[in-house]
Amino acid sequence: MDTLKSMILNGESCSYDFAFVDADKRNSNEYFELLLQLIRVGGVIVIDNVLWHGRVVDPRVNDLKTQAIRDFNNKIYNDHRIAISMIPIGDGVTICRKI
Ligand SMILES: C[S@@+](CC[C@H](N)C(=O)[O-])C[C@H]1O[C@@H](n2cnc3c(N)ncnc32)[C@H](O)[C@@H]1O
């Protein structure tokens, strides 16, 4: 997050074509919001592990990490700043195109 913030302060907003998010899951939303500033219109942010081995759709699972992924999936599904396509291969990746 510090690195992404310094890139924004460095004037690099709207200059990247692609970003891949695959770090600590509870901070995905913060990474996404910073990356959305750094990516140009038409650029792509790919989010890994959006299925979380199926736990996101299992109502019995409510640990903080799973809940964070679930909340983040719902948020980007309803986010009009991007167009998304969720690819259900492996552990699930969501491709977000900035519009
Ligand atoms: C599943 S690996 C991702 C590997 C990466 N996609 C690659 O291809 O090399 C998760 C990565 O997130 C990093 N990570 C975990 N928690 C982090 C945090 N709080 N801040 C920054 N990076 C973190 C780990 O060090 C690890 O490199």
Side-chain angles (χ1 to χ4, degrees):
M1 263 185 265
D2 290 341
T3 302
L4 298 175
K5 286 174 187 169
S6 71
M7 291 162 74
I8 292 167
L9 288 173
N10 208 29
E12 297 176 39
S13 293
C14 298
S15 64
Y16 288 87
D17 295 319
F18 179 81
F20 183 58
V21 179
D22 184 25
D24 52 316
K25 306 308 172 191
R26 289 179 63 186
N27 282 318
S28 288
N29 185 54
E30 281 71 20
Y31 299 137
F32 174 82
E33 287 298 330
L34 294 166
L35 288 167
L36 200 56
Q37 296 178 56
L38 289 162
I39 292 286
R40 65 173 175 79
V41 170
V44 167
I45 303 171
V46 175
I47 316 292
D48 201 13
N49 308 112
V50 295
L51 293 178
W52 206 229
H53 305 285
R55 290 191 283 267
V56 288
V57 293
D58 185 340
R60 296 167 300 177
V61 182
N62 283 301
D63 61 276
L64 291 175
K65 200 180 278 188
T66 302
Q67 193 56 47
I69 296 170
R70 197 177 278 148
D71 291 346
F72 179 66
N73 287 345
N74 285 331
K75 174 232 168 103
I76 60 174
Y77 179 71
N78 291 301
D79 192 330
H80 297 296
R81 300 171 297 174
I82 52 172
I84 69 167
S85 183
M86 188 271 168
I87 313 295
I89 56 171
D91 197 22
V93 291
T94 298
I95 300 170
C96 311
R97 182 171 51 85
K98 184 173 174 178
I99 53 179

